[in-house]
Amino acid sequence: MSDTLKVSLVQLELVWGNVEENLKRISNLLLPMKNQTDLIVLPEMFSSGFMMENKNLISPKAAMTLDWMKNQAKQLNATLLGSIIVEEDGNYFNRLYCVDGEKIICSYDKRHLFRMGEEHKHFSNGADRVVFNLGKWRIRPLVCYDLRFPVWSRNQNDYDVLLYVANWPEARREVWNTLLKARAIENQSFVLGVNRVGIDGLGLSYSGDSSVFDAKGRLVGKCTDHVEEIITLQLNLDELNDFRRKFPLHLDADSFQIS
């Protein structure tokens, strides 16, 4: 892969709790993306919507969904990323997978569980910090509420793209947009945020605001508000590294440990 990365943001309207229907719809939406992009990013819990009460009905379909992701990645000749509900030994996880056509490149269990929605009562949180490579690019995947925690998101001079998948309600869209920009500036990296649109089974409205910011906090591109849409943007690693050399914030960064 070259110094450029083509990233596709898939801003979806999700069918509440219907895994088969969501996968069918997404498959059709992704058809034009074959050989057109490097990385396809789906929202948080893209197969079901942000569900908790019926997680036991969704989790048995995790293996099927993961196979679907691999098949889509192979057919589209791209890497595919998004989070789903997974059960292991009686514990449920909001787990992000990144796959290609053959294997799981990485998985990440959401660390910060949304207390105000009682997510912490339904899911177990993860503890592992994950960074994966895609060609020359180093990418850090996170999930939704993680965006509010800058220490967990902090660049340790080991990633070029910070990526958030989300189900982030419209009522808090200003926070979403502000924090995406802030994370880009403070971490000197590209920041991607991919969110859903529509109204979920709980009556919550989602405006989308799926977007990409560069290391200077400038908006690179954004999906249309309230519209199901896929946009593809090209990121340049040489430009990012040139800015880092001229403005080496990481040399003055504080060291820290997370327990």
Side-chain angles (χ1 to χ4, degrees):
M1 188 175 293
S2 67
D3 292 328
T4 59
L5 179 70
K6 289 184 179 179
V7 181
S8 298
L9 282 58
V10 185
Q11 183 169 278
L12 295 171
E13 184 165 359
L14 302 175
V15 182
W16 188 250
N18 192 329
V19 174
E20 290 81 2
E21 182 63 21
N22 282 314
L23 299 187
K24 179 181 177 181
R25 292 188 67 256
I26 298 169
S27 295
N28 290 331
L29 288 169
L30 294 181
L31 281 174
M33 305 308 300
K34 184 175 182 178
N35 297 320
Q36 299 299 311
T37 190
D38 300 311
L39 176 63
I40 298 171
V41 185
L42 304 172
E44 178 185 24
M45 294 193 186
F46 66 85
S47 66
S48 63
F50 188 70
M51 304 185 71
M52 290 179 285
E53 294 293 342
N54 293 322
K55 59 187 180 297
N56 61 310
L57 301 180
I58 303 299
S59 59
K61 301 177 182 180
M64 177 191 73
T65 304
L66 188 55
D67 286 340
W68 173 89
M69 291 181 72
K70 292 178 182 177
N71 289 333
Q72 285 292 306
K74 185 175 183 178
Q75 292 175 22
L76 300 171
N77 190 29
T79 300
L80 189 65
L81 184 150
S83 91
I84 61 176
I85 298 172
V86 175
E87 184 269 331
E88 286 184 356
D89 300 322
N91 296 311
Y92 292 87
F93 298 91
N94 185 346
R95 179 168 295 171
L96 179 148
Y97 283 110
C98 180
V99 307
D100 62 19
E102 303 296 331
K103 64 181 184 299
I104 299 172
I105 296 174
C106 76
S107 64
Y108 165 74
D109 292 333
K110 184 177 182 181
R111 176 178 174 90
H112 297 94
L113 304 178
F114 189 56
R115 181 175 302 275
M116 284 66 77
E118 298 190 340
E119 186 181 12
H120 65 297
K121 294 183 179 180
H122 295 271
F123 291 89
S124 299
N125 67 318
D128 293 334
R129 187 179 187 276
V130 174
V131 177
F132 69 91
N133 294 325
L134 201 57
K136 297 180 179 180
W137 292 81
R138 304 167 299 168
I139 301 174
R140 174 93 191 273
L142 295 173
V143 180
C144 203
Y145 191 44
D146 287 330
L147 176 61
R148 287 182 178 267
F149 299 90
V151 176
W152 183 240
S153 300
R154 185 72 56 84
N155 197 346
Q156 298 181 22
N157 200 27
D158 63 352
Y159 67 74
D160 308 301
V161 176
L162 180 60
L163 184 157
Y164 297 91
V165 302
N167 271 219
W168 194 288
E170 182 179 10
R172 293 186 288 277
R173 66 185 303 194
E174 185 173 352
V175 175
W176 166 260
N177 292 319
T178 300
L179 292 183
L180 287 175
K181 182 174 183 176
R183 297 292 91 85
I185 295 169
E186 69 195 12
N187 291 300
Q188 282 195 314
S189 74
F190 288 103
V191 169
L192 282 63
V194 178
N195 192 24
R196 64 159 294 175
V197 291
I199 298 175
D200 70 13
L202 302 175
L204 295 174
S205 175
Y206 299 83
S207 54
D209 295 294
S210 301
S211 53
V212 176
F213 291 89
D214 71 10
K216 296 181 181 180
R218 299 176 300 193
L219 184 65
V220 177
K222 182 178 184 293
C223 290
T224 306
D225 296 347
H226 298 283
V227 174
E228 185 171 73
E229 184 179 40
I230 301 174
I231 63 168
T232 299
L233 304 167
Q234 184 166 287
L235 312 182
N236 189 290
L237 188 58
D238 285 338
E239 292 178 3
L240 173 61
N241 287 331
D242 183 58
F243 173 56
R244 288 169 165 174
R245 283 190 293 269
K246 293 176 179 177
F247 208 75
L249 290 178
H250 68 278
L251 297 179
D252 299 311
D254 301 307
S255 60
F256 62 92
Q257 291 183 334
I258 299 177
S259 57

